[in-house]
Amino acid sequence: MTESNKMKEMPVKKLMVQMGIPMILSMALQAVYNIVDSAFVGNMKVGSEAALNALTLVFPVQMLMVAVGIGTGVGTNALLARTLGQGNTKKAAKVAGNSLFLGGIIYAVCLLFGIAGVKAYISSQTVDPEVISMGTSYLRICCVISFGIIFFSLFEKLLQATGRSLYSTIGQVVGAVINIILDPVMIYGIGPVPEMGVKGAAYATVIGQVASAVLLFLFHMKLNQEFEHGVEYMKPDAGIIKEIYAIGLPAIIAQALMSIMVYVMNLILKFSPSAQTAYGLFYKVQQFVLFLAFGLRDAITPIIAFAYGMGSKKRIKDGIKYGLLYTTALMIFGIIITEVFPGAFATLFNAGQSREYFIGAMRIISISFIFAGINVAYQGIYQALDGGIESLVISLLRQLVIILPLAGIFSIFARNGQMGISLIWWAFPITEMIACLVGYVFLKRIRKNKVERLS
């Protein structure tokens, strides 16, 4: 059965599983990078507590780099696929070339920040000299050698645009495996490699990213033969760049909100380095669980969008039904794992003084997973039905408008140890529940105004 026939004829219940599993695995691999670094760093013989805090503080910038790379890639992906569908191979070559030109600009900005802005950024979140030193070293390496993650994000979307998503998954697997192998070697010092501590974690990460980018570049050059390749196509074209970001900018904003939220939460928790570290560690576990929902969302959106394009009410409704059902099942699994094994995760990270804060955060914040997952599914449904504004509103509510003021207010009463800090953790379930109610209202309105009006 061809891809087009599958989208038209295969039962949505089965199609969503078939499309969703590879995407879920792919997203899970992205989350592995952050968890692996923290696990190995947390088990350093000296300075593990400070190192974990440092990784917490650098995480928002890492996410921001990924956000800009992926957002640019999303715009490139959609525009390239549409251009190829129109049979315009010359424009397709320019789209691919301009995306690589934009990658060079993004890397130049990251490089400048890595050279001149890293220390001031870390110092804004902590006064501990050891944490400042470790965070500055780690983030500087990640920014100076950020071309790996930036161009990996672009080549991944170029391959997906031509239907070769399997190769992007291969690239992710290779990068993750290299990172996992190099982490203990470079952090602890094994064989001829000297002990590098936090710097070793950074080098292991960027080497894995560069390896993934190089592999996907080779796949792109060899397999993407639908259009020409060459430096001449990298000449900036204002019209094409505008088209790329018309599609990609909302994705960048949505991803960037995550960075802003984590950064502001670090500032709110600045009065307690242990709570700050605990939040950073839990956020990585949370991302791993929510990335499962993101992966399924990437299956929900094209299935419903295709059904919307062909005017099939039944397939749209099935897409909504099974998308929400499967997402809920994934999130229940995530809640069970985090509620039953918080101590095991704390041991994995060797959380030290942050252990009790980490376990407290996990038990409270993980309650929000089911609502957060549904919100992610809602956003995928909105995007498929031309509801970009509704999707952006949900992102703003979840990651800016409700969560940060609420956490800030709760922090006023949180200066008396773990009991008070646990109040801050409750801001997350409250936020996700409110956003979920708003999302349900949006869904009813979109179904009424767009789905029910289909002939």
Side-chain angles (χ1 to χ4, degrees):
M1 189 182 289
T2 66
E3 293 301 318
S4 178
N5 286 340
K6 284 182 182 179
M7 296 293 278
K8 289 179 183 177
E9 299 169 12
M10 182 179 284
V12 170
K13 179 179 179 180
K14 181 179 178 183
L15 179 62
M16 195 166 289
V17 171
Q18 189 179 91
M19 289 182 63
I21 288 176
M23 294 178 180
I24 289 167
L25 292 175
S26 180
M27 294 298 288
L29 282 171
Q30 290 187 35
V32 164
Y33 273 105
N34 300 314
I35 291 176
V36 166
D37 271 1
S38 295
F40 282 115
V41 164
N43 286 280
M44 286 165 46
K45 292 179 181 177
V46 179
S48 61
E49 187 82 14
L52 286 173
N53 196 3
L55 262 61
T56 295
L57 303 186
V58 306
F59 193 48
V61 173
Q62 288 180 294
M63 287 196 301
L64 189 59
M65 289 191 292
V66 171
V68 178
I70 288 179
T72 304
V74 165
T76 301
N77 181 339
L79 182 58
L80 180 61
R82 187 170 70 204
T83 304
L84 288 172
Q86 295 167 345
N88 190 344
T89 56
K90 186 174 181 181
K91 182 179 178 181
K94 289 184 178 181
V95 171
N98 271 252
S99 75
L100 300 181
F101 165 77
L102 292 170
I105 298 296
I106 295 166
Y107 170 63
V109 173
C110 293
L111 177 64
L112 287 173
F113 179 76
I115 294 170
V118 167
K119 189 171 183 180
Y121 164 78
I122 299 294
S123 299
S124 72
Q125 302 172 84
T126 183
V127 294
D128 187 323
E130 186 179 18
V131 174
I132 291 173
S133 175
M134 288 181 169
T136 301
S137 299
Y138 184 96
L139 188 54
R140 182 163 287 143
I141 292 166
C142 290
C143 289
V144 170
I145 315 179
S146 60
F147 57 84
I149 186 60
I150 292 166
F151 284 99
F152 166 78
S153 300
L154 295 174
F155 288 126
E156 175 188 41
K157 298 303 180 185
L158 288 171
L159 287 163
Q160 289 175 355
T162 56
R164 299 182 174 95
S165 56
L166 173 63
Y167 293 93
S168 66
T169 302
I170 291 171
Q172 282 184 330
V173 170
V174 169
V177 170
I178 289 173
N179 185 29
I180 290 168
I181 292 171
L182 290 182
D183 258 333
V185 173
M186 305 185 87
I187 292 171
Y188 308 139
I190 298 176
V193 180
E195 182 180 348
M196 289 187 276
V198 166
K199 287 184 179 180
Y203 281 121
T205 296
V206 296
I207 290 171
Q209 292 168 347
V210 170
S212 293
V214 170
L215 185 58
L216 292 198
F217 167 72
L218 296 175
F219 286 152
H220 167 68
M221 296 299 292
K222 184 176 180 179
L223 301 173
N224 278 349
Q225 296 300 318
E226 291 84 357
F227 50 88
E228 294 182 10
H229 308 280
V231 177
E232 65 272 21
Y233 296 111
M234 294 177 65
K235 182 180 179 181
D237 183 313
I240 287 175
I241 292 172
K242 184 178 178 181
E243 285 187 85
I244 287 173
Y245 282 118
I247 303 166
L249 189 59
I252 292 175
I253 293 171
Q255 292 277 340
L257 285 173
M258 295 165 63
S259 298
I260 294 169
M261 183 187 77
V262 175
Y263 176 71
V264 176
M265 283 298 299
N266 285 337
L267 295 181
I268 290 171
L269 294 167
K270 189 175 180 179
F271 68 90
S272 174
S274 293
Q276 202 177 50
T277 301
Y279 171 67
L281 293 176
F282 176 76
Y283 190 81
K284 294 175 184 184
V285 177
Q286 173 181 286
Q287 286 303 95
F288 182 79
V289 174
L290 291 185
F291 271 23
L292 304 180
F294 288 134
L296 187 59
R297 179 202 62 189
D298 290 343
I300 292 169
T301 301
I303 289 171
I304 295 178
F306 195 99
Y308 186 51
M310 64 186 282
S312 173
K313 278 190 198 179
K314 183 181 185 305
R315 291 184 71 83
I316 293 172
K317 291 178 179 178
D318 283 349
I320 294 171
K321 173 185 172 182
Y322 289 110
L324 292 173
L325 187 64
Y326 292 157
T327 299
T328 301
L330 283 173
M331 294 302 98
I332 290 173
F333 170 75
I335 291 172
I336 291 170
I337 294 297
T338 50
E339 290 287 347
V340 173
F341 302 110
F345 282 102
T347 301
L348 173 68
F349 294 125
N350 192 21
Q353 295 177 10
S354 304
R355 182 183 179 89
E356 294 306 314
Y357 291 108
F358 173 76
I359 290 174
M362 181 166 282
R363 290 203 180 280
I364 295 170
I365 302 177
S366 62
I367 296 169
S368 68
F369 287 166
I370 193 163
F371 304 104
I374 290 171
N375 284 327
V376 170
Y378 279 158
Q379 290 178 284
I381 294 166
Y382 303 153
Q383 289 164 2
L385 300 173
D386 293 330
I389 296 299
E390 287 85 351
S391 179
L392 184 58
V393 168
I394 294 297
S395 289
L396 287 167
L397 292 176
R398 294 179 59 223
Q399 296 164 335
L400 193 69
V401 175
I402 301 175
I403 181 68
L404 296 181
L406 203 57
I409 292 167
F410 287 170
S411 72
I412 297 171
F413 308 99
R415 306 296 170 122
N416 60 341
Q418 186 183 342
M419 186 70 73
I421 288 172
S422 67
L423 190 61
I424 296 176
W425 307 144
W426 279 106
F428 291 86
I430 293 170
T431 295
E432 296 292 359
M433 282 189 277
I434 295 171
C436 198
L437 288 172
V438 174
Y440 178 70
V441 173
F442 284 164
L443 180 63
K444 286 190 70 175
R445 188 174 70 185
I446 286 176
R447 287 185 64 159
K448 179 182 177 182
N449 294 338
K450 295 186 176 179
V451 180
E452 297 302 333
R453 291 185 179 181
L454 292 172
S455 58

